[in-house]
Amino acid sequence: MIVDCHVHVWEMPPIAPVGPTAPTWTSITEEAGPTELLVADMDANRVDAAVLVQSSGSTWDNTYVAESANADRGRFRSIGLVDPVDPDNASVAARWMDDFGMSGFRFHPDYYPDDAVLDVDRNGRMFKEIEKRSGIVKVHNRVGNVGQMAAIVGRYTGITWIIDHMMYPEPWMAGDGWTSYLPVLDLSRHPNVVMMISDVHNRSGEGFPFGDMHSVVMMAIDAFGIERCIWGTGYPGYLREKNGWISLADELRLVRQGFDWLTEGERGMLLGENAKRIYGF
């Protein structure tokens, strides 16, 4: 089974609202990236399932991704956004999970440079509600903000915490043996933390197969174990390359051919078998 664990899909008004979420988010969505475009891309590349992730430019209203996932539960799961500074976010999170079947939520600590959004008392009730439902929390930030995630994952062990996009290791970090990346790898000591191997191409300074990133991918897989690593991409259809990402065909080729140190069994785990277990496909 092939599962893409990270695809943004969205629509435009009047189908679904657009607008910023975090205070520092300034990008304005101008073109739809609908689920139908993703399905065509998946079918063309024989991808069986995907996790639909609410875009930061689509407001806090997760209805479109939730309903898209619910329309085909055999093929989709959904991850939403919840405002980390909303005092009522505990009940909001519970409602999205209970009434809309969302698997969990994504948080962006880097988007709040003057505030903590994970390791902060006010959000304890929200994380407890997610934990009660055995939910998933995806954390999207860079290496410098790893401390927020490190401080909280051991507190809510009933949550599966996912490190989005490997927390953006950069090739220049190889100069000191990836020492600055070690705090991210140290999260592997928590059995409820999962590493998402993704966005390798955008970090690399080389062409396919992005060899300057291979050593850190190997380190991540070694630290977490292949059974706690998943694979994800980014955008639906032609919007992948329009937004600076490689095609779905090349994303698959990177794992199948570029990561030539993996066994066939390990590739199967990375490309879908682990996600099947984590997301309950």
Side-chain angles (χ1 to χ4, degrees), residues 134-210:
S134 301
I136 292 168
V137 170
K138 288 163 63 68
V139 178
H140 174 233
N141 56 245
R142 295 183 181 274
V143 173
N145 217 345
V146 64
Q148 281 203 54
M149 189 173 182
I152 198 171
V153 294
R155 204 177 308 161
Y156 301 99
T157 57
I159 293 175
T160 297
W161 297 84
I162 295 177
I163 301 171
D164 266 358
H165 303 320
M166 300 180 65
M167 211 171 281
Y168 295 126
E170 302 281 353
W172 62 262
M173 296 177 183
D176 65 354
W178 299 97
T179 299
S180 56
Y181 191 65
L182 295 182
V184 179
L185 299 182
D186 187 56
L187 290 171
S188 64
R189 63 191 175 90
H190 299 279
N192 58 323
V193 178
V194 172
M195 173 66 76
M196 188 171 74
I197 306 295
S198 60
D199 201 16
V200 172
H201 46 86
N202 279 334
R203 311 277 68 79
S204 175
E206 301 180 2
F208 189 93
F210 319 113

Side-chain angles (χ1 to χ4, degrees), residues 51-262:
V51 179
L52 311 182
V53 180
Q54 176 81 346
S55 164
S56 295
S58 296
T59 77
W60 303 112
D61 184 348
N62 302 301
T63 304
Y64 179 72
V65 295
E67 291 185 345
S68 293
N70 289 338
D72 189 349
R73 291 290 294 178
R75 197 166 202 191
F76 296 118
R77 296 291 184 269
S78 61
I79 292 287
L81 297 180
V82 175
D83 188 349
V85 300
D86 178 0
D88 194 38
N89 56 23
S91 61
V92 172
R95 181 176 67 87
W96 284 115
M97 296 185 78
D98 293 346
D99 297 348
F100 290 83
M102 304 203 88
S103 296
F105 306 95
R106 190 186 199 212
F107 294 93
H108 309 79
D110 282 0
Y111 293 176
Y112 298 81
D114 302 319
D115 197 5
V117 299
L118 297 183
D119 183 25
V120 58
D121 289 343
R122 69 168 184 270
N123 284 335
R125 286 183 55 248
M126 176 183 65
F127 289 124
K128 286 178 182 176
E129 292 297 329
I130 298 171
E131 184 177 44
K132 284 179 189 176
R133 294 158 176 81
S134 301
I136 292 168
V137 170
K138 288 163 63 68
V139 178
H140 174 233
N141 56 245
R142 295 183 181 274
V143 173
N145 217 345
V146 64
Q148 281 203 54
M149 189 173 182
I152 198 171
V153 294
R155 204 177 308 161
Y156 301 99
T157 57
I159 293 175
T160 297
W161 297 84
I162 295 177
I163 301 171
D164 266 358
H165 303 320
M166 300 180 65
M167 211 171 281
Y168 295 126
E170 302 281 353
W172 62 262
M173 296 177 183
D176 65 354
W178 299 97
T179 299
S180 56
Y181 191 65
L182 295 182
V184 179
L185 299 182
D186 187 56
L187 290 171
S188 64
R189 63 191 175 90
H190 299 279
N192 58 323
V193 178
V194 172
M195 173 66 76
M196 188 171 74
I197 306 295
S198 60
D199 201 16
V200 172
H201 46 86
N202 279 334
R203 311 277 68 79
S204 175
E206 301 180 2
F208 189 93
F210 319 113
D212 55 349
M213 291 291 291
H214 285 197
S215 62
V216 73
V217 172
M218 290 180 191
M219 290 171 66
I221 293 174
D222 285 346
F224 284 84
I226 191 65
E227 70 281 353
R228 281 198 286 145
C229 294
I230 57 177
W231 167 79
T233 63
Y235 292 87
Y238 68 89
L239 290 168
R240 295 179 187 274
E241 294 169 271
K242 190 171 183 178
N243 284 275
W245 294 60
I246 59 177
S247 68
L248 181 54
D250 280 341
E251 294 273 19
L252 288 162
R253 186 163 66 97
L254 176 60
V255 177
R256 289 169 171 161
Q257 299 176 22
F259 296 166
D260 57 7
W261 66 90
L262 294 176

